[in-house]
């Protein structure tokens, strides 16, 4: 069964084609600068030369057409006919309160997706556009939606409600949704697999630390709390996002600096986090670590705020689950920064967390157990693979999907 995974953004389309029987990647690629000068497609077929094509790509339809062409190409292609693709799995950022799992994208679901545009105005519209173009160009192939929010729909009311008048939840569905759900679910499952344990018996904290970051408490295989919430800004500090702040700061700053709603939003989402705290050094962890080694105080204080924030979440979620068996680090920073992992795990022996620093530093972005033998909590590094998880969910849904007679 071959599954195409599509992640359609406002000016880009990421794609991967998997052979699920072998669990192997056949090709991956990226269409970039859609509707902008200099548009192109980079196509990487496994085991073959890669293709870079600079070509006018005015819209997403042309982008998907190029993806299909590349997959079928006599030199760079990996399939002979489009009918070899059994299904398409789409990343959809927001599934609101309606979707706690992946779904077949029929007409009813498509109508519902429009309702969530308000909740993710930057992400859901290009996701929906990508789905519509694929439905149009590949009409006989089932399409599945996999939501970033779905895994967190198991979070109980006590953790998803905010302390604002309840009417706002009823009227606008203002609550904690959480994001990166596909990644948290993937690494939690992998952790159980790696340890040869039943996921349902484990208390896990998954730290997805990348440009955007979130920490999730996974109890008995279910997300019970997560650090991102209604929007993608709460929790620990991120590349340019502020993480948890006292809401009182917002009206105060707006008044002091005479800021509009758009301006304050821009500061909190685009000028804060690593970038803001370091006074412009960078939004990229590698730059901050390099500067901190040189003794740069601005870089050092930024890292200290991040490490401290992570420790607090680990403590809070350990309390929320009444224990902790496994701590997982994933995504760009979690997978690649031994320095951060050491700083976060240091002085957590009260919780039974001890890491082997040699293994931690030798791990080099690959999956590994980095805790010591006598650590009560197993600490893991697991490279995330959201696309594979999307392909996996899509295959599972399509295996259960039987078109009605006449279709
Ligand atoms: P992601 O959003 O998952 O692609 O992660 C991006 C973040 O990972 C950026 O802040 C990068 O600086 C960080 N990152 C990538 N490689 C490394 C590395 N070797 N050491 C530290 N941070 C890294």
């Amino acid at each position: 069964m071959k599954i195409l995974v599509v992640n359609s953004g406002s000016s880009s389309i990421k794609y991967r084609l998997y052979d699920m029987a072998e669990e192997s990647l056949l090709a991956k690629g990226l269409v970039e600068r859609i509707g902008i000068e200099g548009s192109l497609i980079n196509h990487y077929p496994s085991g073959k030369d890669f293709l870079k094509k600079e070509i006018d790509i005015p819209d997403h339809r042309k982008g998907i057409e190029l993806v299909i062409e590349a997959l079928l190409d006599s030199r760079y292609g990996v399939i002979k006919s489009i009918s070899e693709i059994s299904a398409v799995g789409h990343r959809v950022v927001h599934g609101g309160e309606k979707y706690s799992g992946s779904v077949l994208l029929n007409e009813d679901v498509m109508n519902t997706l429009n309702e969530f545009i308000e909740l993710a105005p930057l992400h859901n519209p290009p996701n929906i556009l990508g789905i519509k173009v694929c439905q149009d160009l590949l009409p006989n192939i089932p399409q599945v939606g996999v939501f970033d929010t779905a895994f967190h729909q198991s979070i109980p009311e006590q953790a998803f409600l905010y302390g604002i008048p309840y009417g706002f939840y009823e009227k606008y569905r203002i609550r904690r949704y959480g994001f990166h759900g596909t990644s948290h679910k993937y690494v939690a499952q992998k952790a159980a697999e790696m340890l040869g344990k039943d996921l349902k018996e484990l208390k896990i904290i998954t730290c997805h630390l990348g440009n955007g970051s979130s920490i999730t408490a996974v109890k008995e295989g279910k997300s019970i709390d997560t650090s991102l919430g209604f929007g993608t800004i709460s929790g620990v500090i991120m590349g340019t996002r502020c993480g948890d702040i006292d809401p009182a700061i917002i009206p105060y700053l707006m008044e002091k600096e005479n800021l509009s709603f758009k301006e304050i939003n821009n500061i909190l989402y685009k000028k804060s986090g690593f970038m803001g705290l370091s006074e412009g050094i960078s939004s990229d962890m590698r730059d901050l670590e390099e500067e901190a080694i040189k003794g740069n105080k601005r870089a050092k204080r930024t890292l200290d705020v991040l490490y401290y924030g992570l420790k607090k979440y680990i403590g809070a979620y350990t309390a929320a689950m009444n224990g902790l068996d496994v701590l997982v680090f994933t995504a760009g920073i979690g997978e690649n920064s031994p320095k951060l992992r050491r700083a976060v795990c240091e002085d957590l022996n009260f919780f039974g967390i001890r890491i082997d620093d040699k293994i931690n530093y030798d791990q080099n972005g690959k999956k590994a157990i980095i805790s010591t033998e006598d650590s009560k909590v197993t600490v893991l590094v697991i490279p995330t693979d959201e696309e594979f998880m999307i392909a996996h969910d899509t295959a599972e849904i399509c295996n259960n999907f039987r078109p009605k007679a006449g279709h």
Side-chain angles (χ1 to χ4, degrees):
M1 185 180 226
K2 289 175 187 148
I3 305 284
L4 178 63
V5 173
V6 172
N7 181 354
S8 173
S10 57
S11 66
S12 71
I13 301 167
K14 282 190 209 148
Y15 65 95
R16 288 190 179 198
L17 185 69
Y18 289 95
D19 182 344
M20 295 310 285
E22 310 280 328
E23 295 204 347
S24 63
L25 179 68
L26 299 174
K28 65 176 182 178
L30 179 62
V31 178
E32 280 179 280
R33 301 181 64 85
I34 297 170
I36 308 169
E37 209 177 308
S39 47
L40 74 159
I41 174 169
N42 276 308
H43 173 71
Y44 302 87
S46 298
K48 292 185 177 184
D49 290 343
F50 89 95
L51 167 74
K52 177 178 180 178
K53 197 165 170 181
E54 287 171 18
I55 178 170
D56 188 30
I57 310 175
D59 52 27
H60 284 66
R61 187 182 178 89
K62 179 72 185 169
I64 295 286
E65 279 173 359
L66 286 167
V67 172
I68 296 170
E69 249 174 55
L71 292 172
L72 290 169
D73 189 89
S74 58
R75 181 162 170 205
Y76 301 101
V78 288
I79 49 173
K80 296 218 157 41
S81 155
I82 214 65
S83 63
E84 285 180 47
I85 300 177
S86 303
V88 185
H90 294 269
R91 178 192 184 210
V92 184
V93 166
H94 220 301
E97 286 190 308
K98 176 122 188 172
Y99 299 112
S100 55
S102 305
V103 284
L104 194 66
L105 293 163
N106 57 26
E107 211 177 305
D108 279 354
V109 177
M110 290 306 289
N111 289 334
T112 320
L113 288 190
N114 290 326
E115 291 171 20
F116 309 135
I117 288 180
E118 268 184 0
L119 295 172
L122 297 179
H123 293 102
N124 267 29
N127 298 160
I128 295 170
L129 181 59
I131 297 167
K132 285 189 173 152
V133 170
C134 287
Q135 285 176 328
D136 222 27
L137 293 172
L138 307 165
N140 299 316
I141 300 180
Q143 318 268 330
V144 170
V146 179
F147 304 95
D148 274 22
T149 49
F151 182 56
H152 301 301
Q153 276 300 301
S154 47
I155 293 177
E157 194 181 61
Q158 63 180 19
F160 78 62
L161 283 178
Y162 293 115
I164 57 175
Y166 187 73
F168 291 133
Y169 167 59
E170 291 181 308
K171 199 166 165 191
Y172 302 117
R173 309 326 277 175
I174 293 178
R175 52 159 288 172
R176 180 180 305 280
Y177 287 100
F179 298 87
H180 303 131
T182 313
S183 174
H184 290 292
K185 182 176 162 188
Y186 175 80
V187 296
Q189 285 181 359
K190 278 275 155 202
E193 251 174 71
M194 264 172 90
L195 302 175
K197 298 228 165 109
D198 185 350
L199 183 58
K200 293 216 169 85
E201 284 168 10
L202 294 172
K203 293 169 179 169
I204 308 177
I205 294 177
T206 50
C207 303
H208 175 109
L209 309 174
N211 251 330
S213 296
S214 61
I215 301 97
T216 296
V218 183
K219 192 176 179 188
E220 295 166 7
K222 291 185 178 147
S223 167
I224 63 140
D225 204 350
T226 191
S227 62
L228 286 176
F230 178 70
T232 53
I233 196 164
S234 61
V236 292
I237 56 165
M238 298 169 239
T240 60
R241 289 173 249 168
C242 62
D244 294 334
I245 61 167
D246 181 343
I249 296 166
I250 298 171
Y252 187 82
L253 257 185
M254 285 177 86
E255 200 166 30
K256 284 278 176 204
E257 298 270 315
N258 196 20
L259 299 171
S260 67
F261 159 75
K262 251 190 160 164
E263 285 165 333
I264 189 80
N265 225 23
N266 194 42
I267 290 172
L268 300 177
Y269 274 91
K270 301 263 168 69
K271 300 208 155 117
S272 299
F274 303 170
M275 185 62 106
L277 263 180
S278 70
E279 294 174 283
I281 293 177
S282 179
S283 62
D284 191 293
M285 177 53 102
R286 282 164 292 200
D287 298 334
L288 290 176
E289 287 187 346
E290 251 176 67
E291 282 302 310
I293 288 169
K294 289 186 212 153
N296 186 320
K297 289 203 174 98
R298 291 179 288 141
K300 202 175 162 307
R301 72 169 173 233
T302 306
L303 294 177
D304 286 343
V305 171
L306 174 64
Y307 301 155
Y308 181 68
L310 281 162
K311 273 178 193 272
K312 280 211 293 194
Y313 268 99
I314 291 168
Y317 288 169
T318 302
M321 294 191 287
N322 190 21
L324 179 64
D325 300 307
V326 186
L327 175 65
V328 183
F329 289 96
T330 192
I333 300 170
E335 289 163 30
N336 297 300
S337 175
K339 193 179 277 291
L340 170 131
R341 294 191 300 254
R342 176 167 68 186
V344 171
C345 293
E346 223 166 40
D347 302 328
L348 286 185
N349 38 357
F350 174 77
F351 290 127
I353 298 175
R354 274 175 201 275
I355 62 167
D356 180 322
D357 223 28
K358 177 158 173 19
I359 305 178
N360 178 36
Y361 270 85
D362 287 348
Q363 164 274 345
N364 284 334
K366 299 209 179 66
K367 73 173 180 184
I369 299 175
I370 60 164
S371 43
T372 57
E373 296 250 322
D374 65 346
S375 178
K376 283 201 199 110
V377 175
T378 309
V379 185
L380 301 175
V381 180
I382 304 180
T384 194
D385 195 343
E386 287 158 289
E387 288 83 6
F388 179 78
M389 194 75 230
I390 294 173
H392 177 272
D393 271 20
T394 303
E396 202 168 80
I397 285 184
C398 292
N399 279 331
N400 297 327
F401 167 70
R402 298 274 174 274
K404 287 186 197 129
H407 278 232

